[in-house]
Amino acid sequence: LLLSVASNAPYTSARPITGPWPQAFPAKDLCSNCGLCRSATGVTSVTEACAFIGDGMARAERLEEPVHGRARRFDAAADDLDEAHFGVHEEIVLARGFLNNAQWTGVATGVALAWLERAEVDAVVVTGAQAAGSGFGAPKPVLCRSAEEVLQGRRVKPSLCPSLEVLDEVAADESIRRLLFCGVGCAVQALRSLNGAAPEAALGLLPGGLYVQ
């Protein structure tokens, strides 16, 4: 009976990296501390997902078609370079926010609040602070399920934040089927590249259930 239980138990060799940063991390001094390697879910994809290993940020262009359904369209001869500069899009709009106590107008936080309150997503990842009043020098990822938690992401925090270290928490929560991730470019690329560019499957999300801003 003991042997049977042991043989049926799930096994994974993936272990989050817990050593000193950046020395213990694969990208060493180039590491932006995105948090990918700090989760068992993410560390298995580091060689194909990290923005500072191998082809690095050049992988972003290869993600455009899987994510958006097509690559960028532009014509230098016709001076049509909008998508060359701004990426794949249907329309570019000017948004004005109205959130109190925001850094600027609160557009990003407002979008996150609206999507959560309208049940467009089940959870939102934002950059909060380790303690009230600790400021931008102590960023902390927050997996939000309420408006109050989303508001912890107000104001720009120009510090490195391991936003992706919450991936194990997302994957373990069966109630999270649609996720909005708010983060910087290298973290977004790593997240989109997870699990061979199939992050929804790795995180237990619905197909197409990952959104970023």
Side-chain angles (χ1 to χ4, degrees):
L1 177 60
L2 290 176
L3 290 175
S4 175
V5 169
S7 63
N8 289 329
Y11 173 78
T12 176
S13 59
R15 295 290 185 273
I17 296 176
T18 58
W21 177 81
Q23 294 86 354
F25 291 77
K28 304 300 182 184
D29 289 342
L30 297 178
C31 178
S32 66
N33 195 28
C34 73
L36 182 73
C37 298
R38 296 182 184 272
S39 70
T41 303
V43 73
T44 57
S45 298
V46 63
T47 57
E48 64 189 37
C50 177
F52 302 102
I53 293 178
D55 291 339
M57 293 294 286
R59 298 190 188 99
E61 291 187 14
R62 297 200 294 269
L63 289 170
E64 288 180 346
E65 191 161 349
V67 171
H68 301 294
R70 64 176 177 85
R72 301 183 194 203
R73 297 170 182 160
F74 58 90
D75 185 345
D79 198 28
D80 178 10
L81 296 174
D82 282 356
E83 291 204 350
H85 297 306
F86 302 113
V88 178
H89 62 271
E90 297 300 324
E91 183 180 6
I92 296 177
V93 300
L94 175 63
R96 297 184 186 278
F98 53 85
L99 196 68
N100 291 330
N101 299 317
Q103 181 79 28
W104 304 111
T105 62
V107 169
T109 303
V111 169
L113 281 172
W115 275 49
L116 188 63
E117 290 174 343
R118 295 175 186 174
E120 297 289 342
V121 293
D122 304 306
V124 180
V125 177
V126 304
T127 298
Q130 292 184 14
S134 60
F136 65 78
K140 173 187 176 183
V142 182
L143 181 59
C144 310
R145 297 174 181 81
S146 69
E148 291 74 16
E149 290 173 324
V150 171
L151 289 175
Q152 295 181 43
R154 283 179 297 185
R155 305 184 68 81
V156 174
K157 302 173 182 70
S159 301
L160 299 176
C161 179
S163 299
L164 298 178
E165 72 177 13
V166 300
L167 292 182
D168 289 344
E169 189 178 352
V170 173
D173 192 334
E174 295 183 356
S175 71
I176 300 178
R177 303 288 280 158
R178 295 162 301 168
L179 178 72
L180 173 61
F181 177 82
C182 306
V184 296
C186 59
V188 169
Q189 176 182 310
L191 178 58
R192 287 291 195 192
S193 301
L194 186 69
N195 190 39
E200 290 91 347
L203 297 173
L205 305 176
L206 293 171
L210 175 62
Y211 308 92
V212 302
Q213 72 159 341

